[in-house]
Amino acid sequence: WDYPRNALDSPDFEQRDEILAMYLTDNLRAFRTWGVSAFCPWDHALFWKLREGAGRSRKECKVDWDSLQRPGLSPDYVDDQMACMDTSYAREDWIPKPAAQALYRNNLPLLAYVAGKPSAFTSKDHNFHPGETVEKQIIVINNSRQTTIADCSWSLALPEPISGHKQVRVDTGQQARLPLMLPLPAQVDPGHYELGVTVKFSNAGTQTDTFGIDILPRPTPVPTKARIALFDPKGETRRSLDQLGAKYDLVDAAADLSGADILIVGKGALMPDSPAPDVKRVRDGLKVVLFEQTSAVLEERFGFRVEEYGLRTVFKRVPDHPLLAGIGEEHLRNWRGEATLISPKLNYEIGTRHAPEVKWCGIPVTRLWRAGNRGNVASVLIEKPARGDFLPILDGGFGLQFSPLLEYREGKGMMVFCQVDVTGRTEIDPAAELLIRNILQYAKTWKPAPRRQLVYVGEPSVQKYLEQAGIPARHYEPGRLSGDEILVVGTGAGKELAADSARIAEFVRAGGNLLALGLDEEEANAFLPFRVSMHKTEHIATFFPAFGHDSLLAGVSPADVHNRAPRVVPLVSAGAMVIGDGVLAQATDSHVLFCQLVPGWFDSNQQSNFRRTYRRVSFLTMRLLANMGAAATTPLIERFQSAAAKTETRWLSGLYLDTPEEWDDPYRFFCW
């Protein structure tokens, strides 16, 4: 039903089937292990595709008049637009896609699979240190009509495999659980290893399953001569630092930080209305690291838009960033134990809509219940701000619009917001330990990058955006352009710049940064020292891999160019490095970027699709400018020390460019 075609029925959206297969595998296994005896996979007919050559013509159905009023279907005809596996063609005409294969695999009368440890069979612990013991279990479920003997064998494929074998008897309607204790050698090399399980049933064939184990090295102590001040009233972060051998001085909210190089703010150290250290020295070079803070602090004190939505998987947005050294994409999911930043159960009120309600940006919104924080990698998420130099190192959640690991730069200093659940877990995860160490190392060695002044020429809407985003910019004057400036060119500037093309060419060849916003081919070629080709077509979405931390596109994701208000735009096709479908491009031998979506094209006061596109394109533009060296101002540093008054609504201004509405909350729950 979604423009330009039904997303559920699109034959080109194969990744959807992989997600459905993952969802079905996880949930069917869990339901059956909990003893749930029936469930409805609802749109299961979409899990198959029609084979090539199957007849698609309309088929008339004979009407059985004598049985017409009996229960069941009595169709008059079936044609192609109604084709579904449960209503059309013969069963052999349908080919199972990954989702159907998962349904077959996990809905047979007999089911055997690798489950989590005996104390929590749904756990997916996979990150371990050498010398630790991996706890798993084999679960065998018998929903057939006869007793079965299950011959179970397993092997963890280390250089010297850990193997075993055992038979279990499972009566009809019962299940067996076979615990596995797999001690890892102390000298095993870090890497990915597969645990394989084979179960041969005495009366129904064989089933196999695998589970990946990731072994990470133990973090080494952090040697540092930096002067670290630690503000940690609760003490949870202090214990993590002690384990890493970090040296620090404990401070209170009134401490003089003039002698400190780094301030570390411990987990839950701040409150919305309590005193906090003065961090104005960030502009002069102070580095601040904030470990997990509550949603109340992030929203009410700092003015972030946040979500309490536990993510068990997050993604690298800047894959080679020093904060992620030694941490692979595979390590950023299903962490051991439970996160403890938020309550395991939802705190809510029943509102006028007779459903659980919470406050989001001061607005009552409905929510689904929460049942535990097991495996969470991040529990309280920050929506990527559209104002300020915020670099998302990790992201996740709806539309990838949230980041649990943000780097904020202002002046000569920086702040790291670590909302990844690394502290105070019920079990320590090796990837969490490594991330804490990386954060300390990065804060010790971080140096500020040069800042550049903005120069703008083009349509007024971009100038208005720059003012709202807190980025000072002077108007372009012919002949006046230096190599330490950023030239931003909006539509309508082609003729003006054509008369000064020689100076523009000199600026570009000297390494000057230039951002072209929404230009078409004719306008771009009127002043640039190289030629580009473009074609005008509708842009909705595209894909490109994540960029490195030295790239002018660092921190940008495909979700940032997802246009929910489709329109025809000039997409770059040649003459520069085309990114995705050409909605972004970078000149091959110069610091010239093309961004073919412009914030001013989307009215944030219109319907939801325009608003969401406006927010993402605003963040995209800010990120590109910040990567080029632009400085933006926010009230963040002042808000750090300044407690929020009860009547303040800081989330309405300072870090975002629009006023939030209920429909802007992607995790609101529509009650049926």
Side-chain angles (χ1 to χ4, degrees), residues 376-541:
N376 280 11
V377 178
S379 301
V380 178
L381 314 173
I382 298 175
E383 183 175 332
K384 298 174 185 178
R387 178 173 176 172
D389 186 356
F390 288 92
L391 176 65
I393 314 301
L394 299 172
D395 59 19
F398 181 89
L400 299 181
Q401 73 185 63
F402 302 96
S403 176
L405 188 60
L406 280 166
E407 179 182 342
Y408 174 71
R409 305 165 187 165
E410 185 171 347
K412 298 178 181 179
M414 68 93 180
M415 303 171 72
V416 172
F417 288 86
C418 177
Q419 288 299 118
V420 184
D421 289 317
V422 296
T423 315
R425 303 185 65 86
T426 59
E427 294 181 43
I428 297 174
D429 191 277
E433 288 183 306
L434 187 53
L435 180 56
I436 295 173
R437 187 199 185 284
N438 288 348
I439 290 173
L440 297 179
Q441 180 68 21
Y442 183 64
K444 181 186 76 168
T445 59
W446 183 88
K447 301 293 182 185
R451 291 296 188 180
R452 298 171 182 252
Q453 173 70 34
L454 239 67
V455 180
Y456 177 68
V457 55
E459 62 175 325
S461 70
V462 175
Q463 182 71 47
K464 180 181 178 182
Y465 159 78
L466 295 173
E467 293 171 358
Q468 292 175 327
I471 308 174
R474 70 172 179 85
H475 289 286
Y476 177 77
E477 301 173 34
R480 184 188 166 198
L481 191 63
S482 65
D484 59 353
E485 291 181 311
I486 305 168
L487 178 59
V488 181
V489 182
T491 57
K495 290 183 179 179
E496 182 178 352
L497 293 180
D500 203 19
S501 59
R503 179 69 190 93
I504 301 296
E506 180 184 346
F507 170 77
V508 170
R509 292 190 184 106
N513 291 331
L514 189 153
L515 177 60
L517 291 173
L519 304 187
D520 61 22
E521 179 179 325
E522 180 181 1
E523 198 162 28
N525 289 331
F527 68 91
L528 287 173
F530 55 88
R531 296 191 64 80
V532 294
S533 299
M534 302 183 186
H535 65 285
K536 292 186 178 181
T537 188
E538 185 180 69
H539 166 76
I540 299 175

Side-chain angles (χ1 to χ4, degrees), residues 62-76:
K62 183 179 178 179
V63 179
D64 184 356
W65 295 102
D66 294 334
S67 304
L68 190 62
Q69 295 189 28
R70 295 180 182 178
L73 299 174
S74 182
D76 295 315

